[in-house]
Amino acid sequence: MAGSLPVFPRLPGDDFTTSLHLSGMRDKHLLFNRLGQPGQVHVYSSECRAGERLRAQLFVPVLPLGGSVVPSFAIIAQSLPYSADVAQLPIELPAGFSAVVAPPPNELIAATRDVLTGVQYYPGPIIDTKTLVSGRCYLMVWSPRNHMGKYVVQVGHRWPWRWTYWTQVPRFWWQIRGWFGLDRTAAYVAGAAALVGGFMAWRLARRRSRRA
C-alpha cells in the first residue's frame, strides 16, 4: 500500500451514468470504501486515452473486529484487447464496451503487513490491460454473494514521485489506521516527543545566545 495516494470517496453510483469520477487511472491510488447493503454496486469512472494502461488490484483488509468483504471487480472500457467473464457483471454493459472481470479469490493465502502504516491485508487478484481508444473507462466493485463490508482497490501503475506526497505521509498514516480501526497512540507519542525535542533545542539555543 505504501507509495499509493489514499482516497476515501463518498458513496459511488450504482450504474454508468451515476458513477463517481476519479482524477485518473495512471498514478497509484488506493480506494477505501464499503459495500453497505446486500447487492450494492460501486461504479467509478475516469477519462482515459488511447493505449493507456489500466491496472487494478484488490486488497482485502484485516480488521480487528472483522467486517471486510471479498468482492468481485472489473475494468470496463471501449475496445479492450480482450474481454472476459462479462456475464458475471451485475449490470448490463453499454453498447461498444467490453470488460475484464476478476472474481473473488477462492482462498486468501497469507496476510501482508504494510511497511508504512503497519496494517495487514490479503493481496487479491490483479487486472492489467489497456484501452485501445480514448474515452471513459470504469471500475466496478460488487459482491456476487451479496456480502457487505470494507474493501480496498488500488488503481494506477505510476508511483507518486512528487515531494508533496511524502510531506503528507503522517496524515495518510493517521487516515489509514483510523479506517482499519487500529490504535493511533503512536501518533500522539511521536507528536509529544517532537514538541519536547523542539522545546529542548530552543532552550539550548537560547542559553548559547545569552552566553555569547
Side-chain angles (χ1 to χ4, degrees), residues 184-207:
R184 296 182 288 191
T185 305
Y188 296 106
V189 175
L195 288 174
V196 172
F199 177 74
M200 296 300 294
W202 174 78
R203 287 284 302 273
L204 181 60
R206 190 177 181 183
R207 287 181 180 177

Side-chain angles (χ1 to χ4, degrees), residues 41-153:
V41 179
H42 288 178
V43 184
Y44 306 87
S45 63
S46 178
E47 294 298 325
C48 301
R49 298 179 181 179
E52 184 170 343
R53 182 182 177 188
L54 304 176
R55 185 187 185 279
Q57 180 175 10
L58 173 69
F59 293 115
V60 181
V62 178
L63 306 176
L65 301 178
S68 61
V69 66
V70 186
S72 293
F73 69 100
I75 286 181
I76 301 165
Q78 299 181 66
S79 301
L80 294 175
Y82 64 96
S83 190
D85 300 322
V86 175
Q88 297 183 25
L89 293 174
I91 59 178
E92 188 175 349
L93 281 179
F97 279 77
S98 51
V100 179
V101 178
N106 294 325
E107 59 178 338
L108 301 173
I109 305 301
T112 300
R113 184 178 298 275
D114 180 56
V115 296
L116 176 62
T117 60
V119 302
Q120 288 185 293
Y121 60 89
Y122 291 97
I126 298 173
I127 296 176
D128 198 343
T129 183
K130 66 178 180 179
T131 177
L132 302 180
V133 298
S134 298
R136 183 154 293 194
C137 51
Y138 299 90
L139 170 71
M140 185 181 296
V141 183
W142 76 99
S143 172
R145 301 182 182 91
N146 293 325
H147 292 169
M148 300 180 293
K150 291 184 173 182
Y151 68 85
V152 183
V153 175

